[in-house]
Amino acid sequence: MKHELELMGQELILDRQGVLYWPAERMLVIADMHMEKGSALARRGTLLPPYDTLATLLRLEAIIESYAPQTVISLGDGFHDGHGPRAVSLGTFDLLSQLMCKVQWCWITGNHDPVIPLELGGAVFAELNVAGLMFRHQPGVGRADVAGHLHPKARVSGRSRRISRPCFAADRNRLVMPAFGWYAGGLNVLNEAIRRLFAHGFDAYLLGDKRIYRLPHGNLEADLYEFQGSYGSRRHYRA
């Protein structure tokens, strides 16, 4: 279910549920919950079941109970937009409040939620440095950090089928986390927006049903277009 990763000399745990746990700091990190994306889409005329926030928080509740962290960092885009905190149902808001009361909760602001209402509680940061690891929403080119924002997913072919799964993308100095939100979606890790962050290549850690699968970037496939990679001459074609 888990995979150990060394990042900037720190031992971290990648969980197949798309979260990061740092044992030495008793810290749990989640990225891009995009709570109330369902209600945001409904305001624009796209109707989806309005239970994405509750489903996201119930998953998180089980993870918090499992790891018993001291600190939780929400790595930006905790809410899909500025209306999100007001759109949460009373029962779901109570669940969020209960979870936040159990830990030291840190909101990192994102592009979707640049302002976190103070009444939500917790501490708010643009970025946060913990023991040399920098946590921010958007990864910075040429910097070492743990970030979200890009919602990485990986595509790979097996013997009889192709699969696409959310994934972590990492080298020894940087980690880009998958989105945790129920309706968050994803971007192929071979897209230039992600590839350019890793000058010497990276590994993808696919979230499987029972475990995490580590794959070098060269074993992955692009989608939507033919891709000539900067790490080699292999070509990937749209299925």
Side-chain angles (χ1 to χ4, degrees):
M1 290 183 62
K2 307 170 185 177
H3 191 98
E4 294 183 358
L5 174 72
E6 182 178 334
L7 186 72
M8 296 289 291
Q10 301 291 341
E11 297 295 331
L12 309 176
I13 293 174
L14 309 182
D15 190 287
R16 72 169 187 85
Q17 297 187 81
V19 303
L20 166 68
Y21 185 64
W22 187 357
E25 297 291 332
R26 292 186 58 196
M27 179 180 292
L28 183 75
V29 185
I30 52 178
D32 298 276
M33 290 191 288
H34 283 271
M35 291 185 288
E36 292 305 307
K37 182 173 182 178
S39 65
L41 292 174
R43 288 194 302 272
R44 296 167 175 81
T46 301
L47 300 182
L48 293 172
Y51 309 116
D52 54 305
T53 301
L54 179 59
T56 297
L57 291 178
L58 288 173
R59 286 178 60 211
L60 181 57
E61 180 182 37
I63 293 169
I64 288 176
E65 289 179 357
S66 175
Y67 282 100
Q70 184 177 69
T71 304
V72 169
I73 296 180
S74 173
L75 210 58
D77 288 358
F79 287 92
H80 188 65
D81 62 19
H83 296 280
R86 298 189 296 275
V88 175
S89 69
L90 183 59
T92 303
F93 184 84
D94 286 344
L95 175 56
L96 174 60
S97 297
Q98 291 169 17
L99 295 180
M100 293 178 66
C101 286
K102 294 179 180 180
V103 298
Q104 297 175 3
W105 189 282
C106 299
W107 299 101
I108 303 293
T109 54
N111 59 300
H112 280 262
D113 56 355
V115 177
I116 304 294
L118 295 178
E119 57 267 29
L120 284 176
V124 180
F125 304 91
E127 57 185 26
L128 183 61
N129 190 315
V130 181
L133 286 187
M134 181 64 74
F135 295 89
R136 54 169 59 98
H137 178 59
Q138 298 191 40
V141 176
R143 302 179 182 177
D145 52 29
V146 177
H149 180 58
L150 294 169
H151 303 199
K153 66 177 183 179
R155 180 179 172 92
V156 64
S157 293
R159 293 182 178 178
S160 59
R161 60 176 181 149
R162 291 184 175 92
I163 62 171
S164 180
R165 292 292 183 96
C167 69
F168 298 89
D171 59 14
R172 303 289 272 181
N173 299 310
R174 157 165 286 149
L175 173 65
V176 181
M177 293 187 57
F180 190 76
W182 205 257
Y183 289 157
L187 177 69
N188 192 295
V189 287
L190 297 183
N191 185 282
E192 176 64 17
I194 298 178
R195 286 192 306 110
R196 67 189 179 92
L197 299 172
F198 302 96
H200 304 291
F202 64 92
D203 289 335
Y205 299 81
L206 279 68
L207 310 185
D209 293 334
K210 296 182 179 180
R211 52 169 289 197
I212 284 182
Y213 297 88
R214 178 182 179 182
L215 292 173
H217 68 267
N219 290 6
L220 305 176
E221 295 183 353
D223 50 17
L224 302 181
Y225 54 85
E226 181 181 352
F227 169 72
Q228 179 70 41
S230 61
Y231 304 132
S233 59
R234 179 176 178 178
R235 291 177 182 263
H236 304 264
Y237 295 87
R238 181 177 179 176

